[in-house]
C-alpha cells in the first residue's frame, strides 16, 4: 500500500490520467449498451464489411449504397467508395465474440484513448511539463467529437489516432529512426482508412524541409529525405494491393468520382440536406431511378439475410 501511495505521489499526473480513462471507458461502455443502430451509412458500411470478413464471406457488403456510384453492381465489394482499414481494425474483436455493434464500440473507444495518448506525446514534446501533457490528454479524451464518434464504428477516431501519432513522431526535431519508421506505418494505416489521407503529404514534406534548414546531424540530409519520400510512396501500396487482389485493378473506377474530379458541383452540395423541393428539382426520372435503386437494396438485403440464415 505504501509503495502504491508513493508511486501515486510521484506520478500524480499519470494517476489522474489513468483514473479519468477508466471512468470515461466505463461510461462509454454503458452508453454503448444502449446503442441499437450502427449510425450513418459510412459507419454501417465499415461494420458490415467487418462482419463479412469475420464470417469468412470475403469483401462483400450486405447492403447496397448508391452515393456517388455511377454504376451499381451486386455484390458490392465495399471498396468502390470506402476503404477497408476500419473494417480490418474491427477484426481485433474477433477473438472476443466476433465483430458486432457492441464489440466495434469497444474498439472505437480504444482508438479514442490512443488518440488522446498522442495528445500527451505532442504536449510533452513541446513543453516537457507532465501537467500540461495530462491536461492535453484529458481535453482530447473528453472532446465532444470523441464522445459522439465512440458510439458508432466511424472512421474519425481511427483516422485521428493514426494521423495524430504521425504528427507526434515525425517532427522537425529528429526523434530517431524508429520514430520515423512508426510514423510512416501510421501513414499506411491512414491510407487504408480515408480517401483524404493524401493530405498528410503536406506536413511530411514541410518537416523534411525544416529539418534540412535546421542543420541537424541526423535525419536532415537530402539522401535521408529521399528515402523518406520513397518510403511514403511505399505506404500507398497496401491499399493498392488489396484493390488488386479483390477487384483485379489497382485503382477503382469510382476513385475520380470520390474526389469530385468528374463533377465539382457535387462538392458544393456535399452535406446539404435533401428537401421535397430539391428532390422534385431533380426530375421525375431521377426519382423513379431512386425508387428502383431503393427497391433493389431492400430485395438484396432480404435475400442476403435469408441466405445467411440457411448457411
Amino acid at each position: 500500500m505504501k509503495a502504491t501511495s508513493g508511486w501515486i505521489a510521484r506520478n500524480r499526473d499519470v494517476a489522474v490520467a489513468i483514473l479519468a480513462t477508466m471512468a470515461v471507458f466505463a461510461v462509454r461502455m454503458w452508453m454503448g449498451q444502449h446503442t441499437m443502430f450502427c449510425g450513418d451509412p459510412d459507419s454501417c458500411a465499415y461494420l458490415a464489411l467487418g462482419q463479412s470478413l469475420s464470417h469468412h464471406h470475403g469483401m462483400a457488403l450486405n447492403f447496397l449504397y448508391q452515393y456517388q456510384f455511377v454504376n451499381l453492381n451486386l455484390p458490392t465489394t465495399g471498396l468502390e467508395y470506402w476503404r477497408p482499414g476500419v473494417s480490418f481494425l474491427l477484426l481485433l474483436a474477433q477473438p472476443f465474440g466476433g465483430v458486432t455493434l457492441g464489440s466495434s464500440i469497444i474498439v472505437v473507444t480504444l482508438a479514442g484513448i490512443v488518440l488522446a495518448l498522442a495528445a500527451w506525446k505532442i504536449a510533452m514534446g513541446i513543453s516537457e511539463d507532465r501537467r500540461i501533457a495530462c491536461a492535453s490528454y484529458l481535453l482530447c479524451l473528453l472532446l465532444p467529437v470523441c464522445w459522439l464518434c465512440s458510439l458508432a464504428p466511424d472512421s474519425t477516431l481511427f483516422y485521428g489516432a493514426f494521423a495524430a501519432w504521425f504528427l507526434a513522431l515525425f517532427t522537425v526535431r529528429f526523434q530517431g529512426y524508429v520514430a520515423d519508421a512508426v510514423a510512416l506505418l501510421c501513414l499506411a494505416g491512414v491510407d487504408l482508412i480515408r480517401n483524404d489521407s493524401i493530405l498528410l503529404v503536406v506536413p511530411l514534406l514541410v518537416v523534411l524541409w525544416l529539418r534540412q534548414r535546421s542543420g541537424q546531424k541526423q535525419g536532415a540530409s537530402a539522401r535521408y529525405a529521399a528515402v523518406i519520400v520513397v518510403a511514403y510512396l511505399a505506404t500507398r501500396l497496401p491499399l493498392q494491393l488489396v484493390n488488386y487482389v479483390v477487384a483485379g485493378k489497382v485503382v477503382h473506377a469510382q476513385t475520380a468520382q470520390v474526389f469530385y474530379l468528374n463533377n465539382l458541383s457535387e462538392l458544393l452540395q456535399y452535406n446539404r440536406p435533401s428537401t421535397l423541393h430539391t428532390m422534385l428539382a431533380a426530375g421525375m426520372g431521377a426519382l423513379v431511378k431512386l425508387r428502383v435503386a431503393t427497391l433493389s437494396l431492400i430485395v438484396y438485403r432480404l435475400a442476403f439475410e435469408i441466405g445467411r440464415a440457411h448457411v
Side-chain angles (χ1 to χ4, degrees), residues 183-203:
L184 290 170
L185 290 177
C186 290
L187 288 181
V190 166
D191 189 54
L192 283 167
I193 291 175
R194 290 276 287 268
N195 293 312
D196 53 2
S197 60
I198 194 172
L199 296 176
L200 289 176
V201 73
V202 176

Side-chain angles (χ1 to χ4, degrees), residues 271-283:
N271 210 27
R272 182 176 297 177
S274 297
T275 64
L276 179 61
H277 296 290
T278 58
M279 289 190 292
L280 291 176

Side-chain angles (χ1 to χ4, degrees), residues 138-244:
L138 295 177
L139 179 63
C140 186
L141 190 68
L142 299 174
L143 280 175
V145 66
C146 291
W147 286 97
L148 179 63
C149 294
S150 64
L151 296 178
D154 187 73
S155 64
T156 302
L157 294 183
F158 295 108
Y159 183 90
F162 278 114
W165 273 106
F166 164 72
L167 296 174
L169 296 172
F170 196 78
T171 57
V172 177
R173 181 176 60 84
F174 182 65
Q175 300 183 53
Y177 297 110
V178 174
D180 281 4
V182 175
L184 290 170
L185 290 177
C186 290
L187 288 181
V190 166
D191 189 54
L192 283 167
I193 291 175
R194 290 276 287 268
N195 293 312
D196 53 2
S197 60
I198 194 172
L199 296 176
L200 289 176
V201 73
V202 176
L204 177 81
L205 296 177
V206 169
V207 167
L208 291 176
W209 177 65
L210 291 176
R211 280 184 181 180
Q212 283 195 308
R213 293 194 53 174
S214 67
Q216 300 178 70
K217 293 182 178 179
Q218 289 184 311
S221 66
R223 181 178 297 179
Y224 184 75
V227 170
I228 290 294
V229 171
V230 172
Y232 167 74
L233 296 176
T235 65
R236 320 291 295 181
L237 294 179
L239 177 64
Q240 315 310 326
L241 182 61
V242 171
N243 286 336
Y244 182 77

Side-chain angles (χ1 to χ4, degrees), residues 17 21 110-123 137 140-141 164-165 168:
T21 302
L110 293 176
I113 296 173
V114 173
L115 171 61
L117 288 172
W120 180 297
K121 170 68 175 174
I122 293 173
Y137 174 83
C140 186
L141 190 68
W165 273 106

